[in-house]
Amino acid sequence: SSAALALLGGSVAALVVWKWLGKKEIQKKIEEARRTRDEGMKKMAKAVQQFREQVPSVQRDAILSLPLLELTRRLQEGSLSPRTVLYTYLEKVSALEVTQQTNCLRHFIPECEEQLQEIQRRTEKGLLYGIPVSIKDHIGHKGHLATCGLVQGLGTLMEEDSVLVKVLKKQGAIPFAMTNVPQSLFSYECSNPIFGQTLNPLNPWKGPGGSSGGEGALIAGGGSILGIGSDMGGSIRLPSSFCGLCGLKPTAERLRWVLCPSNPARVPCALGPMARDVDSLALCMKALLCQEMFQLDPTVPPIPFNEQVYSSSTPLRVGYYDTDGYFPLPPCMRRAVKDTRHALEAAGHQLVLFSPPRVPYAVTELFLKTFFADGGRAWLDVFTGDIVDPVLKPQVNSCKMPRLVKKLLALLLKPLQFLLLLKLKEIAMISTCRSVKEMWNHQHQIQLYRSQFISQWKELQLDVVLCPVLGPAFTKGYPGKLLTAVSSTMLYNLLNFPAGVVPVSTVTEADEEELKLYKGCCGDPWDRTLKQAVSGAVGMPVAVQCVALPWQDELCLRFMKEVETLSRDQ
């Protein structure tokens, strides 16, 4: 018996040592990744210093204030050089005001200097000639990592540029920075254990949203004029809402889309642009939807950008709603829809009340069940040999719950149907697909829901829909407590409709007073949590969401442009 005890004790000690060594190895990889990033930042600062010494008289602020279309025009005509523009933006990024205050950068791309030399040798200038572009962490660039904020992503450098980066370069753009993301991309709190937490440049107590939060922070902080994000549940639109930017989630197949290790369910992950105005998004889409894209990726439909639809001034028939009947949003977000609706009516557009069908069913039974079809096992696999970010621990622990415990919780919570938003219930009530037949049936249910949604849209003869988006920016630490608060954006990932966000206002003192009376759905702990998450946001951006039918991306942008123009006039 003493031998057995000694053996058991030895086994336990060996396990403890093995775990300790594993953690030490992870820590070593993290420190190496941070060191590489810091060295890259030093290289960038050194290159900027050399440029400053050679060309001391650059009008830095004047260049940084130019809208993308004006900057493009000056680069095309030659009154500004690509070198001057690139180094002006690099200086802004390497300055403390953007990078150290927000921690938005994952890596500087030193090859931007090679791309600069390359475009200057060309006889033909592309549509994005000389424009510095930032890209989200997992959009592959040759010689760089695509981490998704995971330690397992630290070992492999990309062997070639992704299709999207190749097309950007063909059009004369200069990718110069890769931006930070939440661990596994499955959060709208932009934080991971490798590179840390990204903050909102407009208010350091607030987050920038996610998962394209690094992009949101860098562009809003003035360090980039055009960025490429990705959107699987609101990951372009939420940072755009939180940071006061314009962002478009196109129809997923319209551009080359990417799969992530954290997306085992194959929810379409749409790539799209983020910028300071709608014209920038349209120019980016026009540049990307070119022969180069269609040749490099034959799965992308060869549909060039339709300029006629984007520049049309025909009055629109606009459906609108200010709540989806699932997660009540703060008063200022509903006010934004109301004000925009009145402005559109005054401008001669026709507004029609639209009620999206069965949103609670669409979010929990369709969207989340797609993602967690296997009970979250494939998602949990990406954390093997990794440190789980504190933000994700509640979701990870919920997924680790045995199926029997989940079933018991679901039964116990069944009578509380009106508390559909309960944090525990979110995970407990997501039923998994237990067979291939059930998975096929689930996909069939999604198609039926999509058909019902389109039929309702067509019955009202709508061109587009105006609706709310989650906001204003959450205080740090709150997104992890409110997973399904993103129902407003998730819905259009499930439907695969193009959807974009436009800032139209800011939070006022009156909004803050009205928030004190906010009861949400039932005045339950989760409604109170939302109230805490968005309070203290006076002066922060308030946005609306614009939606069109699949493949009508240009119409979606045209509607966004109309909303932007009217909000600026007001």
Side-chain angles (χ1 to χ4, degrees), residues 127 248 254-255 278-279 281-290 294 301-314 550-559 561:
L127 289 175
L248 174 72
R254 192 74 197 268
L255 295 175
V278 180
D279 277 340
L281 307 182
L283 176 65
C284 184
M285 289 298 287
K286 189 177 177 180
L288 291 171
L289 295 171
C290 63
F294 308 142
I303 310 167
F305 188 81
N306 191 328
E307 187 65 49
Q308 197 178 342
V309 171
Y310 179 62
S311 54
S312 167
S313 56
T314 312
W551 305 105
Q552 305 272 325
D553 305 83
E554 292 88 343
L555 182 61
C556 184
L557 284 164
R558 186 248 141 140
F559 180 41
K561 176 71 179 169

Side-chain angles (χ1 to χ4, degrees), residues 326-327 358-373 417 419-433 442 446 449 483-487 490-491 494:
Y326 181 66
F327 205 107
R358 303 184 294 153
V359 175
Y361 162 76
V363 172
T364 52
E365 282 299 310
L366 298 181
F367 183 89
L368 288 172
K369 190 173 174 179
T370 301
F371 207 96
F372 294 104
Q417 283 300 333
L419 292 179
L420 193 66
L421 308 173
L422 275 171
K423 181 87 181 65
L424 256 176
K425 199 178 175 209
E426 281 176 6
I427 301 296
M429 286 296 283
I430 298 164
S431 50
T432 57
C433 292
H442 178 67
I446 292 172
Y449 179 76
L483 173 64
T484 53
V486 300
S487 61
M490 266 184 193
L491 179 64
L494 175 74

Side-chain angles (χ1 to χ4, degrees), residues 228-414:
I228 306 293
S230 63
D231 193 310
M232 205 161 51
S235 296
I236 285 171
R237 290 161 291 160
L238 294 171
S240 297
S241 169
F242 285 19
C243 296
L245 303 172
C246 296
L248 174 72
K249 178 204 82 68
T251 311
E253 299 82 3
R254 192 74 197 268
L255 295 175
R256 167 67 171 175
W257 57 287
V258 291
L259 291 170
C260 323
S262 53
N263 179 13
R266 302 301 185 255
V267 176
C269 181
L271 295 177
M274 298 167 68
R276 297 175 210 160
D277 56 52
V278 180
D279 277 340
S280 301
L281 307 182
L283 176 65
C284 184
M285 289 298 287
K286 189 177 177 180
L288 291 171
L289 295 171
C290 63
Q291 280 308 119
E292 184 79 1
M293 172 73 82
F294 308 142
Q295 282 166 8
L296 284 170
D297 187 357
T299 67
V300 172
I303 310 167
F305 188 81
N306 191 328
E307 187 65 49
Q308 197 178 342
V309 171
Y310 179 62
S311 54
S312 167
S313 56
T314 312
L316 297 167
R317 188 170 164 87
V318 182
Y320 72 91
Y321 62 90
D322 68 358
T323 179
D324 61 14
Y326 181 66
F327 205 107
L329 295 178
C332 63
M333 305 317 281
R334 297 177 79 165
R335 170 182 65 78
V337 172
K338 184 178 144 195
D339 293 350
T340 305
R341 177 190 135 205
H342 292 321
L344 286 163
E345 279 176 326
H349 300 283
Q350 200 176 353
L351 276 288
V352 183
L353 185 64
F354 175 68
S355 299
R358 303 184 294 153
V359 175
Y361 162 76
V363 172
T364 52
E365 282 299 310
L366 298 181
F367 183 89
L368 288 172
K369 190 173 174 179
T370 301
F371 207 96
F372 294 104
D374 61 350
R377 283 192 295 274
W379 181 58
L380 287 176
D381 283 349
V382 305
F383 298 103
T384 306
D386 213 326
I387 299 166
V388 178
D389 195 271
V391 169
L392 287 175
K393 275 188 176 166
Q395 279 87 21
V396 168
N397 291 337
S398 298
C399 284
K400 281 180 177 175
M401 259 193 263
R403 185 184 284 180
L404 185 64
V405 176
K406 286 184 192 177
K407 277 191 171 181
L408 280 170
L409 272 170
L411 281 169
L412 288 169
L413 296 168
K414 196 83 174 170

Side-chain angles (χ1 to χ4, degrees), residues 187-190 197 205-207 242 327 391 394-395 423 470 472-485 525-535:
S187 173
Y188 58 108
E189 177 93 77
C190 193
Q197 185 167 32
W205 298 107
K206 300 284 181 181
F242 285 19
F327 205 107
V391 169
Q395 279 87 21
K423 181 87 181 65
L470 184 64
F474 277 27
T475 301
K476 292 178 291 182
Y478 279 92
K481 300 171 187 176
L482 292 160
L483 173 64
T484 53
W526 284 265
D527 291 325
R528 291 198 288 277
T529 302
L530 178 73
K531 196 170 171 177
Q532 291 160 8
V534 299
S535 65

Side-chain angles (χ1 to χ4, degrees), residues 4 15 50 58 261 266 274 287 317 328 332 342 380 383 430 438 440 495 499-500 512 516 538 562-563:
L15 186 65
Q50 285 174 343
V58 171
R266 302 301 185 255
M274 298 167 68
R317 188 170 164 87
C332 63
H342 292 321
L380 287 176
F383 298 103
I430 298 164
E438 201 176 317
W440 285 343
L495 292 163
E512 202 76 8
K516 290 175 185 174
V538 172
E562 187 76 10
V563 167

